[in-house]
Amino acid sequence: MPYRPHTPDDRAAMLSAIGVDSLDALFESIPEELRLSRPLDLPPGLSEHDLTRAMSEWAAMNAPAGGALSFLGGGVYDHFTPALVPALVSRGEFLTSYTPYQPEVSQGTLQALYEFQSLVCRLTGMEVANASMYDGGSALAEGALMGMAMCDRPRLLLAETVHTSFRHVIRTYADGLDYEIVRVPAFNGRLDMAALESQLDETVGAVVFQHPNLFGCLEDAEAITRMAHAVGATVVVSVDPVSLGLLTPPGAWGADIVTAEGQGFGLSMNYGGPLLGLFACRQAHLRRMPGRLIGATVDLDGRVGYCMTLQTREQHIRREKATSNICTSEALLAIAMTAHVAALGPEGVRGVAEACVRKAHYAA
């Protein structure tokens, strides 16, 4: 049926159907000073053909990352993604599914998320991982609050070498809580170890840093962890998962909570999102972990099955008792990362990390 503009009779019929006398009555809850008192300043409408041509011309004005020498970074990177990744995640079974509340019809998604958790644990060297967070910034903020709650102390030491946006997110999350966030300054592109030592005492609940840090430098992660644990503080670190193809995993040097931005594995830049938050911790801290945990079990016939095992910190489960507002996941992006890492394999992940190091040194 061809498009027909609405007539006054159409509008009157719609207003009558919803029980409103006039358009003014429909919008009377909006204060008069907030209403637009003139027509919208919009150009005339276009046909589909003309609109497609106009959009193509505007798109051609962009300089895509793939068509230029791009030095964009800071958490979102132009990594190559194998064709199998979009081919897999665009399958209807994954693309159209949301949260697998019904395990009997969601075994494929649940198994994929279980494998995602396993890969995160293997990359980070940690004992347990959840089924993803919103992004690296909110994952680190959740980790910081979890670390503080574990120690029940008032001071949080936050390294200046942590991504600027991540620090803002942490401060936003902590707003309204009785935490003192202490900035630990940088020295020559790394965390100032003397300044850290001077701030560490039994009032510190968590030490939060990034490795590699905002400037691309490697922190002395083992020393930071040792110093923090000496006063009973929790160690919360944000890492680049691609770098873990080369670097010692955080679990090996004693981190308590590990978070990351997973965009570098399988996700395009997409003008800055959507992104993928990774979160892992020690088995002992499992009950405090935000987000969902997918577990493996067996049914009455002994067949392997998967289900959502733990989500007790979330607001939609525990309401006012919840200690996290994370109540969804980035499942499709988590599956994309799983496909990418599985396609690379251990040697491939190491090869990507080595290529990044070589290219960084070449650029320098």
Side-chain angles (χ1 to χ4, degrees):
M1 178 182 293
Y3 170 73
R4 179 178 63 82
H6 288 147
T7 67
D9 289 341
D10 293 329
R11 287 192 288 271
M14 287 188 284
L15 290 170
S16 175
I18 61 177
V20 179
D21 295 332
S22 65
L23 281 174
D24 288 338
L26 181 63
F27 298 115
E28 64 181 4
S29 61
I30 301 174
E32 187 69 34
E33 64 271 16
L34 298 181
R35 301 187 202 178
L36 189 66
S37 58
R38 57 172 175 77
L40 286 172
D41 184 16
L42 295 175
L46 298 175
S47 69
E48 181 180 357
H49 176 267
D50 289 339
L51 178 60
T52 300
R53 183 162 58 183
M55 294 296 291
S56 298
E57 291 172 355
W58 294 333
M61 297 169 65
N62 289 328
L69 186 60
S70 174
F71 291 96
L72 292 173
V76 179
Y77 303 99
D78 186 24
H79 285 286
F80 173 76
T81 299
L84 69 87
V85 175
L88 179 65
V89 299
S90 62
R91 289 181 60 91
E93 302 95 315
F94 292 133
L95 187 63
T96 61
S97 62
Y98 176 55
T99 297
Y101 286 119
Q102 296 175 282
E104 65 274 12
V105 296
S106 304
Q107 285 299 294
T109 299
L110 287 165
Q111 182 177 0
L113 293 175
Y114 182 85
E115 300 298 344
F116 165 77
Q117 294 171 173
S118 302
L119 288 173
V120 172
C121 286
R122 187 165 181 181
L123 279 169
T124 61
M126 302 301 285
E127 295 166 337
V128 61
N130 69 16
S132 83
M133 310 284 277
Y134 296 134
D135 53 34
S138 58
L140 183 60
E142 288 279 352
L145 296 193
M146 175 176 158
M148 292 294 288
M150 285 162 52
C151 292
D152 193 23
R153 294 175 175 181
R155 298 173 68 232
L156 184 156
L157 302 189
L158 178 58
E160 189 179 35
T161 51
V162 170
H163 193 297
T164 308
S165 297
F166 290 10
R167 289 189 316 224
H168 286 313
V169 175
I170 290 172
R171 292 184 182 279
T172 300
Y173 265 61
D175 187 47
L177 300 176
D178 294 328
Y179 293 150
E180 177 191 359
I181 299 179
V182 180
R183 180 183 65 87
V184 183
F187 179 72
N188 284 343
R190 302 171 74 195
L191 176 63
D192 188 331
M193 299 296 283
L196 174 65
E197 186 175 19
S198 69
Q199 292 288 352
L200 277 171
D201 57 32
E202 283 71 21
T203 66
V204 175
V207 175
V208 181
F209 69 101
Q210 184 173 337
H211 174 69
N213 65 30
L214 172 64
F215 308 114
C217 299
L218 301 182
E219 300 286 8
D220 191 344
E222 292 189 27
I224 295 171
T225 300
R226 186 170 57 250
M227 292 164 63
H229 285 168
V231 298
T234 305
V235 173
V236 184
V237 62
S238 175
V239 299
D240 180 347
V242 176
S243 75
L244 297 178
L246 280 179
L247 300 181
T248 302
W253 41 259
D256 299 295
I257 300 170
V258 180
T259 68
E261 171 53 60
Q263 182 272 333
F265 277 130
L267 309 181
S268 58
M269 300 177 82
N270 291 329
Y271 297 96
L275 302 173
L276 171 65
L278 312 185
F279 195 106
C281 66
R282 300 285 178 190
Q283 179 85 21
H285 312 318
L286 173 62
R287 284 285 172 180
R288 295 183 179 272
M289 186 173 65
R292 286 96 182 271
L293 185 73
I294 308 304
T297 184
V298 293
D299 65 12
L300 292 175
D301 298 320
R303 296 173 300 185
V304 175
Y306 301 89
C307 61
M308 201 180 301
T309 303
L310 185 67
Q311 51 181 329
T312 54
R313 293 185 78 228
E314 301 183 20
Q315 62 179 357
H316 75 294
I317 299 297
R318 302 189 67 197
R319 299 177 68 83
E320 70 279 356
K321 294 182 180 180
T323 50
S324 170
N325 283 326
I326 294 288
C327 56
T328 189
S329 67
E330 298 292 282
L332 188 66
L333 306 183
I335 293 170
M337 175 178 166
T338 305
H340 192 181
V341 176
L344 289 170
E347 294 303 317
V349 171
R350 181 178 180 86
V352 171
E354 289 176 341
C356 290
V357 172
R358 287 196 303 268
K359 291 179 179 181
H361 281 279
Y362 176 78

